[in-house]
Amino acid sequence: MSAPVVPATAPDTATLRRPAAVRLAWLLAGAGVVALLVVASVAFGTRVLTLDELLAGLGGSTDGVGPAAVVARLPRMVLALLVGAALALAGTTFQAVTRNPLADPGILGVSAGASLAVVSGMAFLGLSAPYAVMALAVVGAGGAAVFVYAVGSLGRGGATPLKLALAGAATTAACMSLIGAVVLPRVDVLEEFRFWQIGGVGGATWDRIALVAPVLAAGALVVLLSARGMNSLALGDDLAAGLGENVARTRLISALGAVVLCGAAVAVAGPIAFVGLVVPHLARLLVGTDHRWLLPASALAGAGLLVASDVIGRVVARPQELEVGIVTALVGAPLFIAIVRRQKVREL
């Protein structure tokens, strides 16, 4: 007989009892790594900056090419931090809500729903205002999430992880087909969408950050406050209800926060893949399955992964650059395979 396997999202005794000091040490180490990546993001690019240029740029000077490059790279770095943390928090939450270790905004069709809503608004309504685009993305993400959950709930057994994954894959395929049908006859929309669909932070500005930051903060606050409820959901609906948890309310509120995070991130940076899928598994290896620790760890790891991917994309293709969505796919796919091989993951 084969050895028993351990769920990727269910709480196990070893990880739940991991000393708080160990978890705190990992969080501090993660914060240190992110800080180093922030410096690298500002210092490295098509032109490597000297220490004097870096300090002058951080001081607000724009005299010379180097300091001006620092000023130009700062919003890009900040946006990468925000979007990476948001996608990681959304992925962790979706995995908790569905009890599916393979759930993430891409696999569940949420990112594709947001993309379809944005493209339809651009093509049919002529919408281009940032607030309108973000609202469309959130509505599209929410509609896709509701549709996938409704389809996955049909039949015997309700919304099992396998049915949710299959419904999400089918929804993603349908949304991408519809997107193609919308943009192909419209050259102007196609040109704009062609770069946006890859996912990137190259067009970051302080105005865009000021627009998206409050929305992302609200979504993050919702999922962080739902951490204790996510721990209960991991035990199963019956046991969670027996412990006094309102399962439906917890699932709804948590999913709403994740949808807001995903929709806003997709609106401002495009549908970046693999961050929401890979990061939660990596964070579990470090801090365990308690969501009170797992969510902050995922946010740090997601922010670091996206900043690192952006730096890699700028360095390896000099004087051009690879969009961050391409790099996350290249980095995330083998990393996820390695994590899955190390962890025994089964359907919950």
Side-chain angles (χ1 to χ4, degrees):
M1 296 179 61
S2 60
V5 290
V6 179
T9 59
D12 59 89
T13 304
T15 53
L16 281 179
R17 293 182 179 176
R18 186 170 295 172
V22 174
R23 291 166 166 167
L24 181 59
W26 278 117
L27 287 180
L28 293 176
V33 171
V34 171
L36 293 176
L37 290 171
V38 164
V39 175
S41 177
V42 177
F44 295 101
T46 54
R47 183 179 185 275
V48 180
L49 306 181
T50 64
L51 180 59
D52 290 339
E53 291 174 327
L54 184 61
L55 293 177
L58 292 176
S61 173
T62 56
D63 297 332
V65 177
V70 173
V71 174
R73 291 172 186 174
L74 282 174
R76 180 171 184 159
M77 176 269 296
V78 173
L79 185 62
L81 288 173
L82 293 176
V83 171
L87 292 175
L89 285 173
T92 305
T93 302
F94 281 129
Q95 291 179 11
V97 168
T98 63
R99 289 187 289 118
N100 184 350
L102 298 180
D104 90 317
I107 289 179
L108 291 180
V110 178
S111 295
S115 300
L116 177 59
V118 170
V119 170
S120 299
M122 291 178 179
F124 300 124
L125 303 177
L127 296 180
S128 59
Y131 279 108
V133 171
M134 187 174 302
L136 278 175
V138 172
V139 170
V146 171
F147 179 78
V148 168
Y149 191 81
V151 172
S153 301
L154 298 176
R156 182 180 302 175
T160 66
L162 178 59
K163 288 197 294 183
L164 287 174
L166 292 175
T171 301
T172 298
C175 287
M176 297 311 296
S177 297
L178 291 173
I179 288 172
V182 170
V183 302
L184 285 178
R186 297 167 175 82
V187 178
D188 54 336
V189 179
L190 176 61
E191 189 67 20
E192 184 176 357
F193 177 72
R194 186 164 62 92
F195 295 100
W196 178 78
Q197 71 171 340
I198 298 173
V201 293
T205 64
W206 290 119
D207 289 340
R208 296 179 69 187
I209 292 172
L211 171 68
V212 76
V215 180
L216 294 179
L221 181 62
V222 170
V223 299
L224 289 172
L225 292 177
S226 302
R228 188 181 296 274
M230 293 184 204
N231 286 340
S232 299
L233 291 180
L235 301 172
D237 290 359
D238 292 339
L239 186 53
L243 293 174
E245 189 71 39
N246 188 323
V247 173
R249 183 180 63 189
T250 300
R251 182 169 280 126
L252 177 62
I253 293 175
S254 301
L256 178 61
V259 164
V260 170
L261 286 169
C262 177
V266 169
V268 76
I272 298 174
F274 276 103
V275 177
L277 178 62
V278 173
V279 167
H281 292 279
L282 179 62
R284 283 188 198 97
L285 293 176
L286 302 179
V287 301
T289 56
D290 187 339
H291 286 84
R292 292 171 296 180
W293 294 90
L294 178 59
L295 288 167
S298 295
L300 277 174
L305 176 60
L306 207 63
V307 172
S309 298
D310 186 39
V311 173
I312 292 171
R314 279 184 276 160
V315 170
V316 300
R318 290 176 182 163
Q320 304 298 320
E321 64 180 54
L322 294 176
E323 292 293 345
V324 68
I326 298 175
V327 181
T328 55
L330 294 175
V331 173
L335 182 60
F336 181 65
I337 292 172
I339 292 173
V340 170
R341 287 178 61 86
R342 180 173 178 177
Q343 280 186 288
K344 294 181 178 179
V345 179
R346 70 164 174 84
E347 179 187 342
L348 303 182

